[in-house]
Amino acid sequence: MSQTRVVRIRESILAENTVHATALRERLTASSVAMVNIMASPGGGKTSLILRTIQELRSEFRIAVVEADIDSTVDADKMTAVGIEAVQIETGGFCHVDATMVQAALAELRLDDLDLILLENVGNLICTAQHDTGAHVNVALLSLPEGDDKPLKYPIMFAAADIVIINKTDYAEIAEFDIDAVRHRIAQLNPRAEVLPVSCRTGDGIGAWIERLMSRVENARSAAIPNPGRSMPGRQPGPRDAR
Ligand SMILES: Nc1nc2c(ncn2[C@@H]2O[C@H](COP(=O)(O)OP(=O)(O)OP(=O)(O)O)[C@@H](O)[C@H]2O)c(=O)[nH]1
Ligand SMILES: [Mg+2]
């Protein structure tokens, strides 16, 4: 009697994506461009964090943004409005972006003219974390109004993140959000994750986020350079160099 054969579609799709993502990351590294993938629920504050980041880093890094939504160019238009090149991925219903979609978006950009790409993933706490986009740094953002139980309910997101941003700390008095419990849970899931509370509204904590981000961006970009002691091609000296 012949045995029932099983084809595991999900595993094979994810494995194929990982191959594309690895190749994409290597291409970015070779071009000395760092890519940062920002993931969160709808409305968590991804666009607000990107706009704050651009404001802080645009004098030092040549930045472009890749926006991903199931429809519309609302967020990409916000980037264009502040003079930043943006490409919109319309996923047409998919609740995440994968490496092939990012690859298609990057074909619209000149990597030689860039140091940093900020990718705003689709608003979703589940599927986004399951697909490697080719980014060097994965950021999960959780905002106070969403509740402090999210790391318990959506562990994959927090396990996949290099940095966890806790946004909207200006709601602390009314949100009943136990930040210590969240830190504890994330430490259990992913001890290497850095947890950074911020408010994109007031600017609280943004300095620490920029410092940690810069360190990771520099690491990603300098991986392309045989002698890391050299200054990186393309990077313009900025105000931080004078400090
Ligand atoms: N009070 C407060 N509001 C914030 C903060 N950050 C973002 N917001 C507000 O939250 C709302 C959603 O912010 P966005 O940055 O658009 O969130 P998003 O994650 O990009 O949303 P989608 O792209 O639709 O998934 C907006 O009204 C922001 O002004 C914050 O730190 N504090
Ligand atoms: Mg947005």
Side-chain angles (χ1 to χ4, degrees), residues 11 19 32 37 81 88 118 126 170 178 199 207 224 232 238 241 243:
E11 276 83 348
V19 172
S32 201
N37 172 31
Q88 178 76 49
L118 300 170
I126 306 167
D170 52 296
D178 185 342
S199 167
M232 284 182 287
D241 293 320
R243 286 178 202 160

Side-chain angles (χ1 to χ4, degrees), residues 72-199:
S72 96
T73 59
V74 171
D75 287 348
D77 293 345
K78 289 181 186 167
M79 304 302 152
T80 310
V82 296
I84 291 289
E85 191 173 14
V87 181
Q88 178 76 49
I89 299 173
E90 279 185 5
T91 68
F94 286 111
C95 52
H96 65 273
V97 283
D98 64 19
T100 313
M101 297 182 210
V102 176
Q103 180 79 59
L106 295 194
E108 302 293 322
L109 297 170
R110 271 183 53 84
L111 292 186
D112 286 350
D113 295 342
L114 293 173
D115 305 314
L116 174 61
I117 296 170
L118 300 170
L119 165 64
E120 176 173 348
N121 215 312
V122 183
N124 184 298
L125 270 192
I126 306 167
C127 318
T128 49
Q130 294 172 320
H131 293 83
D132 189 343
T133 59
H136 298 93
V137 185
N138 287 301
V139 178
L141 181 152
L142 168 65
S143 64
L144 264 62
E146 293 169 64
D148 55 19
D149 55 358
K150 294 302 166 288
L152 292 168
K153 298 172 74 174
Y154 303 91
I156 301 169
M157 168 61 69
F158 298 93
D162 301 301
I163 299 178
V164 178
I165 296 284
I166 313 272
N167 187 33
K168 308 194 186 180
T169 52
D170 52 296
Y171 281 133
E173 300 221 332
I174 50 170
E176 292 185 15
F177 185 98
D178 185 342
I179 197 161
D180 291 333
V182 167
R183 280 184 186 280
H184 182 67
R185 176 64 178 154
I186 292 170
Q188 285 177 323
L189 283 169
N190 178 2
R192 66 182 173 81
E194 298 182 75
V195 180
L196 303 172
V198 311
S199 167

Side-chain angles (χ1 to χ4, degrees), residues 170-240:
D170 52 296
Y171 281 133
E173 300 221 332
I174 50 170
E176 292 185 15
F177 185 98
D178 185 342
I179 197 161
D180 291 333
V182 167
R183 280 184 186 280
H184 182 67
R185 176 64 178 154
I186 292 170
Q188 285 177 323
L189 283 169
N190 178 2
R192 66 182 173 81
E194 298 182 75
V195 180
L196 303 172
V198 311
S199 167
C200 289
R201 176 68 49 87
T202 66
D204 270 7
I206 293 293
W209 149 248
I210 294 297
E211 235 170 74
R212 298 312 304 139
L213 178 67
M214 276 189 64
S215 152
R216 286 176 182 270
V217 165
E218 299 277 10
N219 282 347
R221 296 188 62 232
S222 62
I225 302 169
N227 174 2
R230 283 189 332 182
S231 65
M232 284 182 287
R235 179 172 182 255
Q236 304 300 313
R240 271 163 226 281

